[in-house]
Every structure is written in structure tokens, then in C-alpha cells.
Amino acid sequence: MFLFIYNMKLIRYKVQNFKSVKDSGWITCSDVTTLVGVNEAGKSNLLLALWKLNPVSGGKIDILHDAPVSRLTTIRNETDTTPFITAEFELSDEDMSAIIEEYGADLTSIDSVIVTRYFDGHYTISYPNCKPELKIEVDEVDTDSDKDVNDEEVQEEILDGKKLAQIVVNRMPKFVYYSNYGNLSTRLYLPHVTTWLKGGVVDGVEKSDEQIRTMKVLFKFVNLQPEEIQELGLDPKDMAAKRHGYNSRTTYQPTADEIQKAENAKEERTILLQSAGSMLTKEFADWWQQGDYKFRFNADGDYFTIWVSDSKRPDEVRLDQRSTGLQWFISFFLIFLVESKFQHKNAILLLDEAGLTLHPKAQKDLSKFFNSLSKDNQIIHTTHSPFIVDTNNIDRCKVVYVDSDGYTVASANLRDSDDKLNEQSIYAVHAALGLSVSDILFQGCMPIIVEGPSDQIYLSAIKQALIAGKKFAPKEECIFVPSGGVRGIQGVVSLLGGKQGKLPIVVVDSDKSGKDAKSKLLSGLYKDSKDNILEVSDYISVANAEVEDLIPLEFLLKGINKLFENVDEDDDQFEDVYDKTKPIIPQIEEYAKSNGIELAHGYKVQLAKTAKTKILKAKEIDGETIKVWKALFDKFKTK
């Protein structure tokens, strides 16, 4: 069967009316998104609701257990009007071409879609950037009250809307949900496995749905059924008795031909299992490059066992006798391989408390591994471990906490949680930043102090773009450390200033506060290290420039337009009044004021995140911009 390659990218989502979540607020998503919070904060619920938007397998809506207990009696009678998950997807050029081809008509101004699912299972599709805005339900379409719904043109509009909405639903990425609770059982009794995979229950033996799911994908990967493995391994007497319908193996003596057939069947089973073990070994090595593990499948009578060895420990042992971390990885690998990579290439992976059984060093490797996986699959994962928080991309983190009414909330503002319980939600982030400082002090990294998190995001994006374009090759890893504003620079310098007797580089804006901070440092701690303080206006011909002014408008415009999406299209848009000879942030704030728009707290960080995505996806960046960026980053190489 031909499989489509899906390109729709998840931009953001929100959960409502689901378990502990009343309204999570919008959760913006990157290639990798990290939800950080304490146990019982509700992180899993934010994944489970999204999974049920369009699951690869399972994910049935269960009103009894999915709805908040306090609202169950109301919601169960309003399933068709109560949404539980809303997601916005960005459409690629490939998406638009495919949709237009399937729809049979040209579409203008559609670059994203918002999909909402309700407790009765139906979807609502809206197109926020379409003029005029369209909103269509797949199963039931609203029409304007002043239109005659029996009119042929109106009926045609309804049918067209339904067709377009159904195409969008069909093209949505699938979601794969995986938790730590489905680790593979590596010594399996085949008759029990057969019963479980057929949905039955084995008296006295309990297996969770997650474990049964992992068994199912294992046998799908092996491309055998447990009954077949059991059948191929039958003793000649049992095989003959079964063939002839005898109740007891002692009542029939197999012929020489039947003995030979049984021997051939066992040989076939051995070869098939060897082939499957070799395939798993190769695929796992290509996927997880942290060891040279060798897997072997063995069947002895009715028992199926997975054995594992590696170059450092060549003696084979059962997989369940190796580390729980390796058990987690092989189980996750099988789920990922079978449910996403082979069936749905662009599936979105939802990983609940991923890798908590791994050693801290392996957890850090896992964080890097997510970046590799995200080239083909977006990842959203939950954690409370600082080792899994990627400090080079702290902007990907969202804090999950419980609000004053007891509901789960998610926020990109890592300062949002303000009581003692919720302060613990961001402890992992703070601890990760502390570990990052340790990396700087002890692992030979170069710290570069910047004023705030938005500066960290912009400069990290520039670094990655320059390295990708082979314009920057640092001898040491450059780590951008936000100081929490100019007032915090002195404290961060004190913390990091002891590295090999050198003072760290500081990058400051050229606005008044930045200039004041520079003067203060030059008159004190940096009086003999003047070249270690870099001012933005030294690299760009804009007076009072800030880090944002290093970024061309084309990379900022999408985020800016999002800030001002409610400005009437007949009025001057921001790009119409923008003056590139002046700092952009004051212009954004003045434009907002003149249009009666209150900018959200932390809007600069969100703007930076959007710009970073655009920069890293850019196929080409103009030479003058690269020249400016390179001039700044060349200073980092010489310090």
C-alpha cells in the first residue's frame, strides 16, 4: 500500500476539559518540545489528549475516564459541543500542492489549519489566515443564518467545505504515545502471548495494556505470529498427533517422514529467528549509536527469549537481566519503528517521562538523540529530570504546574509558577542550568554572557546557521548564558570568571541600559579586558541597536504578524511602517501602542523562538547578513 509523506507541522496546541486540565493555554511546539513539571502536575494528560487527536493505534476516547470528574455529568450529555483538544498545524508547500490537487480548486491565503476534536469524536477545521476566515465541521457544517440552506449554491459551499475539511483530517500527522510502563517482557510463554494478542485474559497472569502493545509490535517486527513459532517448534509426536487429531501424543508413533518434517520445521524456525535477530541488531545499531549490541531471538519449546551481548560483555544474557535503561530503549525502539517510522514517517512522538531509568550521562545523550530523531519526527516529551533538559535550547521548555483552582496549566514563562509546590516544577530547569554551568567550568566550554533569554535564542540560532554554512568553526563549544538583565551580568561574571583565569565574553545591547552596564564593567572588573565586552552597534549600523537588530526582518516578520493579527488589513501593516535604520523593538512597541494592542509579557522570547525556526529552516541567507554575523562570532574564536 502506498504511504503518503505528511509534512504538516504542529505549531501549537491546547487541551481543555480533559482529566486534570480545564484549559492548558496554548502550548507552542518546536521540533523538540519539553514539558517540565513535578509528579502529579498533569504532564501526562497534556500528551494523552494530543495523542487522541489522531492516534496511530489505540487512543479511543473514553468519556468516563477522560472528562474531568467534576464535570462528567455535564460533559457526557454535551459530547458534541465539548472540545478536548485543539491543534494548529503549519502547511508546507507540499501540503498545499497535495490538498489543492485533491480538493480540485485553488486556495489562497491558507498557510495553517486549526483542528479541534470533540468528545463525540468529530472534528472542526478552521483556517485562521484565510480571507474571509473559514470554519468547517467534518460531520456538521454551520451556515450563516441569513442564507437559505436549501439554495443550490449554499449546498455546494457546504459540500466543498466538508470535502476540504476531510482532506485536512486525512492528511494530519499521526501521534505515537509511549511511556515507561510498556517495557518488553523478554521471556515469553507463547500460548499466553497468543491469548493476549487476541484480546484474551490469562488467569493468574497480569500484563498491562502497554506491555501487550510492546509484545504486539515485537512480533510484527519479527514478521511472525506466536502460534506459528509455537507450531514450528512442535515435537514430532505432538506435530503428528495434532495433524491426525489424536488427544494424546502416546497414542501415535510418528513416521520417519513426519519426524523429518518436524526437524525441517524446527530448522525453519531457527533460521527465521536468526534472521529477525540480525535485522533487529542492524536496525538498532543504525538508530542508537551508543553501543554495539547484538540481539538473538531463541525459541525453546513454547518459550520465546531475547538474548543480548556486546563487545564489552560478549557473554549472552537475557535482555531482562541487562539494565532497565537498555530494556526501555529496545522497547521504545520497537514501538517507534513499527508504529511510526515504517507506517507513518512524519508521525509526532509523544514520550512520557522518557528515559528516567537511564544513567544521568545516558539521559544527556538522550537529549541529544531527540535532536537527531526530530529531523523526521516532531517530539514532545515530559520530564522532571534536569539531565534531559537541553540547556542549548531552553526556549523549548514549558513549565507544567497546578493553578490555584487545582487545574493543570502549561506556560512558556518559566517564572509563572509562584507557590512552593510549583516552584518545584521548574527545579529541573534551574538544575539543568546549574549543570550547564558545571559543563562550562569543567568541560572546556566557552561561556558568553547575554542579557536575556531572547538574546540566547537568537545567538544560538546564528551559531547553528553559521556552523551549518561552514562559516564558523569554534575550538570550544560556545554556551550563551542569560544573566536575567543587565543587573545580573556582574553576578554571572563572578560565577564564571574563574575559568583558566579569563573573564567571559559579555554581549550587551547598545541601548541606554546596555551602554550603562558596559561602562560599569569597564570601570571595574573589565578594566583590563575591554575587548571581552561586545556591543551590538559595533557590528551593525543602527544606533542604539539590540540583538534583535542583527536579525533581518524576513525572519522576524511571521512572529511580528502574529502579535498584530487583529490589526485591520486595511490599515498600515508593521512592515509598511518599519524603518530599518532604527532599532526594531521600540518600533514594535510603538506600533502596538498606536493600534491599542497590549503586548504580552515575554513577547520578545516568543518572537525569538519563531525567528529561530525560520533561521534554521532558511535555504539561503543573504551575504551581508552572514558577514555581520561572522564578524561578531569571529570575536568568540579569538578569546
Side-chain angles (χ1 to χ4, degrees):
M1 182 176 65
F2 178 74
L3 300 178
F4 288 101
I5 301 299
Y6 299 96
N7 295 286
M8 292 170 65
K9 180 173 181 179
L10 181 65
I11 303 172
R12 58 178 184 161
Y13 76 98
K14 66 178 176 180
V15 179
Q16 298 169 286
N17 313 303
F18 189 87
K19 296 183 183 289
S20 65
V21 189
K22 184 177 182 181
D23 188 336
S24 67
W26 283 109
I27 302 170
T28 56
C29 298
S30 309
D31 291 340
V32 178
T33 304
T34 306
L35 304 180
V36 183
V38 296
N39 291 331
E40 300 298 317
K43 303 186 298 297
S44 298
N45 295 338
L46 298 178
L47 295 187
L48 288 168
L50 184 58
W51 176 46
K52 295 191 177 192
L53 179 68
N54 195 26
V56 165
S57 62
K60 182 179 179 181
I61 299 171
D62 180 359
I63 187 71
L64 183 63
H65 297 102
D66 289 344
V69 174
S70 61
R71 299 196 59 219
L72 175 60
T73 54
T74 300
I75 291 176
R76 67 176 181 167
N77 295 315
E78 300 175 354
T79 57
D80 59 335
T81 58
T82 306
F84 69 90
I85 180 66
T86 300
E88 182 173 1
F89 296 93
E90 182 180 59
L91 298 176
S92 67
D93 293 340
E94 291 83 357
D95 284 321
M96 284 307 304
S97 297
I99 289 173
I100 290 171
E101 183 177 351
E102 293 181 60
Y103 183 54
D106 193 13
L107 302 170
T108 58
S109 304
I110 295 180
D111 57 12
S112 70
V113 295
I114 294 177
V115 182
T116 299
R117 196 172 196 195
Y118 294 74
F119 273 107
D120 70 343
H122 89 275
Y123 297 89
T124 296
I125 314 295
S126 62
Y127 311 90
N129 297 324
C130 186
K131 304 298 183 183
E133 182 175 344
L134 294 175
K135 183 175 182 180
I136 303 293
E137 292 186 6
V138 173
D139 296 325
E140 180 180 348
V141 181
D142 292 329
T143 57
D144 295 333
S145 58
D146 60 346
K147 289 186 177 181
D148 179 4
V149 296
N150 295 314
D151 183 90
E152 288 187 8
E153 288 188 12
V154 174
Q155 286 292 329
E156 187 174 344
E157 287 179 17
I158 293 173
L159 291 174
D160 279 352
K162 278 190 171 184
K163 180 181 178 181
L164 178 57
Q166 191 63 59
I167 291 170
V168 170
V169 170
N170 291 343
R171 292 189 60 83
M172 262 198 305
K174 294 284 188 176
F175 291 88
V176 176
Y177 174 79
Y178 186 73
S179 73
N180 279 339
Y181 312 116
N183 278 8
L184 184 67
S185 298
T186 54
R187 183 169 171 78
L188 302 170
Y189 184 57
L190 292 171
H192 288 176
V193 174
T194 298
T195 301
W196 286 320
L197 297 192
K198 290 181 177 179
V201 176
V202 177
D203 292 338
V205 183
E206 293 186 4
K207 288 291 180 185
S208 68
D209 291 343
E210 291 85 359
Q211 288 174 311
I212 293 172
R213 173 193 184 192
T214 311
M215 288 181 204
K216 185 179 294 185
V217 298
L218 168 67
F219 284 100
K220 189 168 186 177
F221 179 84
V222 175
N223 200 28
L224 292 173
Q225 295 297 323
E227 310 101 298
E228 182 180 9
I229 299 173
Q230 185 181 359
E231 179 82 20
L232 290 172
L234 286 175
D235 181 273
K237 284 188 177 182
D238 292 326
M239 184 177 288
K242 183 174 181 180
R243 183 176 297 115
H244 294 285
Y246 296 113
N247 293 325
S248 172
R249 59 184 294 186
T250 60
T251 62
Y252 180 82
Q253 291 299 318
T255 65
D257 182 56
E258 288 169 336
I259 292 173
Q260 185 62 52
K261 286 182 178 179
E263 290 176 355
N264 292 342
K266 286 191 175 185
E267 182 181 11
E268 179 184 355
R269 179 172 75 164
T270 299
I271 293 172
L272 289 172
L273 293 175
Q274 285 177 346
S275 175
S278 297
M279 180 172 62
L280 175 59
T281 297
K282 181 182 181 303
E283 293 284 348
F284 190 74
D286 291 342
W287 189 79
W288 175 245
Q289 299 175 355
Q290 303 299 313
D292 56 348
Y293 297 103
K294 183 177 181 180
F295 299 96
R296 183 171 67 87
F297 295 144
N298 182 66
D300 182 8
D302 289 341
Y303 289 91
F304 176 89
T305 310
I306 302 176
W307 297 87
V308 62
S309 61
D310 61 64
S311 58
K312 292 183 179 179
R313 288 151 293 190
D315 294 332
E316 286 187 330
V317 297
R318 288 205 317 262
L319 178 59
D320 59 347
Q321 294 177 350
R322 296 295 292 261
S323 70
T324 53
L326 179 60
Q327 293 176 53
W328 181 87
F329 257 110
I330 188 63
S331 299
F332 169 49
F333 167 73
L334 287 166
I335 292 288
F336 170 80
L337 192 72
V338 173
E339 291 195 0
S340 63
K341 191 174 181 180
F342 285 170
Q343 295 183 10
H344 304 280
K345 181 177 174 57
N346 278 25
I348 297 174
L349 309 182
L350 309 176
L351 309 180
D352 202 357
E353 299 289 7
L356 288 185
T357 56
L358 299 176
H359 182 274
K361 178 64 171 64
Q363 288 187 7
K364 294 195 72 173
D365 289 341
L366 179 63
S367 176
K368 297 176 184 177
F369 179 58
F370 286 162
N371 290 327
S372 175
L373 278 187
S374 68
K375 293 176 182 177
D376 293 319
N377 300 86
Q378 272 185 278
I379 295 173
I380 304 174
H381 70 103
T382 67
T383 191
H384 57 257
S385 169
F387 298 100
I388 299 179
V389 173
D390 183 357
T391 53
N392 281 325
N393 295 283
I394 208 72
D395 53 295
R396 296 172 174 175
C397 290
K398 310 295 181 288
V399 59
V400 179
Y401 62 96
V402 180
D403 67 13
S404 57
D405 296 322
Y407 291 109
T408 296
V409 178
S411 175
N413 182 359
L414 300 182
R415 299 173 183 268
D416 259 1
S417 52
D418 56 5
D419 58 54
K420 285 189 175 181
L421 171 63
N422 291 323
E423 283 175 0
Q424 298 172 33
S425 290
I426 57 170
Y427 172 78
V429 178
H430 291 168
L433 291 173
L435 291 168
S436 179
V437 169
S438 297
D439 288 343
I440 292 169
L441 292 175
F442 300 114
Q443 297 183 20
C445 297
M446 175 184 287
I448 300 166
I449 300 172
V450 297
E451 293 185 22
S454 58
D455 298 338
Q456 179 194 44
I457 294 166
Y458 286 122
L459 292 173
S460 294
I462 292 173
K463 178 184 74 171
Q464 293 177 56
L466 289 176
I467 291 174
K470 298 183 179 180
K471 301 295 184 181
F472 180 59
K475 295 180 181 178
E476 301 173 293
E477 174 66 18
C478 296
I479 303 292
F480 298 98
V481 183
S483 63
V486 292
R487 294 182 180 180
I489 292 176
Q490 187 82 29
V492 178
V493 168
S494 299
L495 178 63
L496 301 179
K499 180 179 180 288
Q500 299 177 353
K502 297 179 181 179
L503 289 172
I505 294 173
V506 177
V507 178
V508 295
D509 292 333
S510 297
D511 57 5
K512 184 179 185 306
S513 61
K515 288 181 179 293
D516 290 346
K518 179 180 178 180
S519 297
K520 186 175 180 179
L521 290 169
L522 289 176
S523 64
L525 193 60
Y526 278 77
K527 63 182 179 180
D528 297 321
S529 303
K530 292 182 172 58
D531 291 342
N532 279 29
I533 300 181
L534 308 179
E535 189 181 330
V536 174
S537 282
D538 292 339
Y539 302 91
I540 187 170
S541 57
V542 175
N544 304 317
E546 302 176 47
V547 170
E548 284 84 354
D549 298 304
L550 296 170
I551 311 299
L553 180 64
E554 63 183 287
F555 298 124
L556 295 164
L557 196 55
K558 182 175 181 179
I560 292 172
N561 288 340
K562 198 74 175 176
L563 295 174
F564 303 129
E565 58 187 353
N566 293 326
V567 174
D568 194 302
E569 62 179 359
D570 294 329
D571 294 338
D572 287 336
Q573 301 300 299
F574 178 82
E575 60 184 313
D576 298 326
V577 299
Y578 168 65
D579 184 349
K580 66 179 181 180
T581 67
K582 298 178 181 179
I584 193 169
I585 292 299
Q587 293 186 67
I588 290 174
E589 294 177 352
E590 178 58 33
Y591 182 81
K593 183 178 179 181
S594 65
N595 284 278
I597 295 173
E598 183 177 352
L599 295 171
H601 176 69
Y603 82 91
K604 291 174 66 175
V605 173
Q606 189 55 51
L607 184 63
K609 293 177 183 178
T610 305
K612 178 181 178 181
T613 300
K614 297 288 286 184
I615 290 169
L616 298 182
K617 286 192 170 184
K619 295 180 180 178
E620 187 175 354
I621 300 174
D622 74 87
E624 190 59 36
T625 297
I626 292 294
K627 183 178 178 181
V628 169
W629 291 354
K630 188 175 184 303
L632 172 61
F633 274 70
D634 281 346
K635 293 291 185 180
F636 303 155
K637 291 197 297 186
T638 60
K639 300 303 177 186

